[in-house]
Amino acid sequence: MTNKKRKRNNNNNNNNNNKNDVSKKNQQEISSASSTPKRTKSNQPSNFLQKILVLQMRARLSGGHFRMINEKLYTCTGKEALNYFREDSSLFNLYHAGYKTQMSNWPEQPVNVIIKWLKKQNPSFVVADFGCGEALISKSVKNTVFSLDLVSNDPDVIACDMANTPLDSSSADVAVFCLSLMGTNYQTYLEEAYRVLKLGGWLLIAEVKSRFDPNNGGADPEKFSKAISELGFNSVKRDFSNKMFLLFYFTKKEKHDSKRKKEIEWPSLKPCLYKRR
Ligand code: SAH
């Protein structure tokens, strides 16, 4: 694949109208919430306060929905997540609306740190953005970027489970995982990145700090790093200076030996669940 612009993957089910029960329920809740305030003859809410209450209730419902989808993504496999969004791709937009709200509370966005890093590298580097979300990397750099996510609302995004991408082997110079190692089978995403990367290619991982707090049920970053090294990477640099996220930089080394691969001990990464505000 040589073109940056990719046709939308047919796996994408944007037209699927099968809403799941929860989304139906919430829609009902939203519409009944909207009809609560008394209306005047002109069919306007009777007062300003009631209008505000309705807006607050809607925001709370969509916030709850975001937390539910988020929890689902952290506690299932990539395959299950793909099916989940196939049943109702509107959940993906809901997720990303909530994700943006969460991110707006962070002093720095990890994706911007990665974009800054990429801008200092060779512009001919081919980038694979695993779990690209709104494809901010592709929109910000001149490089060829293959943006991968479970749902594609954008012709530049390839819809797939990133454990199994349509990218050619040894075709990318950089593989990025920015807050996207969500599935319980996250190691299969890293194996896929290993396949897709050229020898010497970069693997960049940004993850939520709390997922790596061994005193609080999180993984030991040393064990995580060791497992990735055993997969066939050199750990080049780490940046743990940010309050919210960790950054790991690896490069792909020799072909890994399949016997060793089976012995790799992958620490489980604690789901990043958001509290109700
Ligand atoms: N990297 C983006 C988005 C992070 S949100 C950014 O930093 O802005 C995490 C994204 O990973 C979500 O869009 C989610 O759909 C995607 N994701 C999680 N598991 C995935 C999988 N198995 N395959 C493809 N994308 C996945």
Side-chain angles (χ1 to χ4, degrees), residues 117-118 121-130 143-146 167-176 193-204 233 250-252:
W117 180 89
L118 271 172
Q121 311 301 315
N122 190 332
S124 72
F125 273 1
V126 174
V127 181
D129 185 6
F130 286 79
N143 306 59
T144 296
V145 181
F146 292 108
L167 304 187
D168 292 336
S169 297
S170 306
S171 60
D173 299 281
V174 185
V176 174
Y194 183 90
R195 181 188 72 77
V196 162
L197 278 171
K198 298 175 187 169
L199 267 183
W202 287 92
L203 168 67
L204 266 58
F233 288 95
F250 298 89
T251 50
K252 175 171 168 173

Side-chain angles (χ1 to χ4, degrees), residues 126-173:
V126 174
V127 181
D129 185 6
F130 286 79
C132 64
E134 298 193 326
L136 297 178
I137 294 182
S138 156
K139 288 172 187 147
S140 312
V141 300
K142 292 190 180 127
N143 306 59
T144 296
V145 181
F146 292 108
S147 303
L148 310 153
D149 210 302
L150 295 162
V151 171
S152 165
N153 290 325
D154 174 331
D156 274 358
V157 175
I158 304 167
C160 63
D161 170 13
M162 61 192 175
N164 186 16
T165 73
L167 304 187
D168 292 336
S169 297
S170 306
S171 60
D173 299 281

Side-chain angles (χ1 to χ4, degrees), residues 5-186:
K5 306 282 172 199
R6 294 280 318 208
K7 283 226 169 117
R8 185 177 300 190
N9 187 308
N10 287 337
N11 285 342
N12 178 25
N13 267 3
N14 286 339
N15 298 326
N16 193 328
N17 289 325
N18 269 346
K19 308 280 174 206
N20 71 13
D21 288 348
V22 182
S23 99
K24 260 189 198 157
K25 187 168 172 267
N26 274 359
Q27 277 169 4
Q28 281 159 7
E29 280 170 330
I30 290 169
S31 61
S32 69
S34 318
S35 61
T36 307
K38 281 182 189 147
R39 290 177 182 269
T40 60
K41 272 181 194 163
S42 60
N43 204 27
Q44 293 300 312
S46 57
N47 66 42
F48 181 69
L49 193 66
Q50 277 174 328
K51 236 183 188 175
I52 298 284
L53 285 173
V54 170
L55 289 175
Q56 274 181 345
M57 196 176 289
R58 279 188 187 156
R60 225 180 283 151
L61 285 171
S62 66
H65 219 149
F66 162 72
R67 286 191 296 277
M68 185 199 77
I69 303 164
N70 183 64
E71 181 166 350
K72 168 78 185 167
L73 294 178
Y74 276 115
T75 52
C76 73
T77 64
K79 204 174 163 190
E80 285 164 343
L82 187 67
N83 289 332
Y84 179 66
F85 284 135
R86 272 189 185 161
E87 274 178 31
D88 185 353
S89 63
S90 71
L91 294 176
F92 187 78
N93 298 337
L94 246 172
Y95 176 75
H96 275 283
Y99 177 80
K100 258 193 195 159
T101 308
Q102 287 295 334
M103 283 293 118
S104 65
N105 299 318
W106 288 28
E108 186 163 34
Q109 311 273 315
V111 71
N112 289 335
V113 178
I114 291 173
I115 289 167
K116 263 188 220 152
W117 180 89
L118 271 172
K119 284 186 173 169
K120 288 189 209 142
Q121 311 301 315
N122 190 332
S124 72
F125 273 1
V126 174
V127 181
D129 185 6
F130 286 79
C132 64
E134 298 193 326
L136 297 178
I137 294 182
S138 156
K139 288 172 187 147
S140 312
V141 300
K142 292 190 180 127
N143 306 59
T144 296
V145 181
F146 292 108
S147 303
L148 310 153
D149 210 302
L150 295 162
V151 171
S152 165
N153 290 325
D154 174 331
D156 274 358
V157 175
I158 304 167
C160 63
D161 170 13
M162 61 192 175
N164 186 16
T165 73
L167 304 187
D168 292 336
S169 297
S170 306
S171 60
D173 299 281
V174 185
V176 174
F177 290 87
C178 186
L179 308 187
S180 58
L181 291 179
M182 301 181 90
T184 50
N185 60 324
Y186 77 88

